[in-house]
Amino acid sequence: MAPHPAAAPPAATPDPPASPTRRRIGAALLFLAGAWVAFVVAHRLLSGRWWRWLLPELVPPPAFVLVPALLLLLALAAGPARRRVALLAVAALLLGADLSGFNPAVLRTPPPAPADALRLVSWNTTVWNHDDDPDRFYALLTARRADVYLLQEYKPADDPAARDADLARLRREFPGYQVAARGELVTLTRFPIVGVTALPADPPPGSDWRTDYWEVKSLRTDLRIGTRTVSVYNTHILVPLDLSSPLRATFHRRRHEFFQRRQVQYDAIAADLDRNPLPAVVAGDLNTSPAMADLDRLTDRLTDAGRASGSAYPRSWAIGGQRWWRLDWTFVSADWTVHRYWLRDVDGMSDHRMQESTLSLGGDR
C-alpha cells in the first residue's frame, strides 16, 4: 500500500488590502518620519557650524527621543508603510538619542567620596540679589558650605561704591575665602589663588564693568589644593539669540553676531584647555542645551559631571516654575573623580538651579 502523501500546508492568507484612509495615514507618517530623519541629519551637520541654524537648534532636546518613540507607536496604523515608518523611526533614534539630555549613567553608582573631597557650587544668580532679599540670598550660598563657589551674573549698580560694598559683604559672609571677580563672574575659594586668567579677552586694568561683562566670559583661577595646583573655569557663555527683538530689523544681524561671539568664547576655553596641563573643572551657565553641538568642544576634552546626578533627565533651567532642560554644566578632566552631582532648587531667586558637585583628585571617572 502506497504511503499517504503529506498534507500540503495551508496557503498563506494575504493581508486584506488597506483602505484608502489607511493608505493616506501611512503616506503621511512615512513623510513625517522621513522629514524627521532629514532634520536630525541636518542638525548633526549644521549645529554649531552655521549661524542660520540657531533657531532650529532651540528644538527641545527630549524631542530627539520622544518623536521617534511616537513614530514607532504610530507605525502600527501606517498600513503597508508600517515597516518603513518603523525603520525610519529607529534610524532617527540611533542618530539623535545622545542629543536628548537623558542620562543613561543613572544606572551607575558613583564611588563614595573621601573625607577630603572638594565641594564645588556653580550658580547663575540671575543679576545677583537685585530682585531678592539680600539676607536670603547670602544665607542660600553660605548654607552650601562649599570649598569653591563659581557665581555668574553678578551685576553691580552703576555706582562704583555699590560694587565695593558687595565685595565687602562677600568677604564678611565668607571669612577665610579668597575672591576673584571680573565683570559678571565671581569666584570664591577656601584655597589659595595662584593665578587668574580672563577669557576670551582680558581688558586693560581700569576698564569699566560693562566692558568686562562683554569681554570676560570665562574666569580661570588656578588653585593650590594641598601639593597640587588645579584650574577652575567659571563660565557664562552668551545666549544664542536676542529673543527680545525678533521682529526688529536688527534681529538677523544680532543672531549672526551672537553666533560669532559664542564661537569665540567656546574656542577660547578649548584652546586654553589644550595648553593647560593642570587638572581642570569647567562649570557655569553655558546657555547651551544637550542638543547643541557647541558642547562638543568640551565633551571632546572633558567628562560631564552630570553623569553622577542620579537623575535620568537632569534639568537646570526653569520658566514659570517648570523645569525644562540643562543649560548649566560642570565638566571635569580625567584627573578628577565625580562622586556626586546635584541640581538644587534656589527658592525662586533665579531661573537656574544651583549645581553642586563633590569631586576628588584621582583620575577614576
Side-chain angles (χ1 to χ4, degrees), residues 314-357:
R315 296 167 294 168
S316 71
W317 176 61
I319 295 180
Q322 176 61 48
R323 302 170 192 154
W324 294 97
W325 45 80
R326 284 179 80 187
L327 297 180
D328 304 82
W329 301 82
T330 297
F331 292 97
V332 299
S333 65
D335 310 86
W336 295 96
T337 299
V338 182
H339 302 282
R340 192 64 177 157
Y341 175 89
W342 296 266
L343 287 168
R344 297 193 180 277
D345 291 325
V346 291
D347 199 17
M349 284 187 278
S350 173
D351 56 351
H352 293 260
R353 300 173 80 190
M354 180 184 289
Q355 299 184 85
E356 184 173 341
S357 307

Side-chain angles (χ1 to χ4, degrees), residues 25 30 43 50 56 150 295 344:
I25 291 173
L30 191 59
H43 185 78
W50 189 37
L150 308 179
L295 285 180
R344 297 193 180 277

Side-chain angles (χ1 to χ4, degrees), residues 159-174:
D159 180 3
R163 179 179 176 88
D164 294 338
D166 286 336
L167 296 179
R169 176 153 188 183
L170 270 176
R171 291 187 171 95
R172 291 197 306 272
E173 297 284 351
F174 294 92

Side-chain angles (χ1 to χ4, degrees), residues 252-271:
H252 293 290
R253 177 180 60 78
R254 288 179 66 79
R255 184 167 56 155
H256 192 196
E257 175 192 345
F258 279 30
F259 175 83
Q260 291 178 317
R261 282 183 173 271
R262 283 171 59 89
Q263 299 303 299
V264 169
Q265 292 161 17
Y266 267 113
D267 287 344
I269 301 172

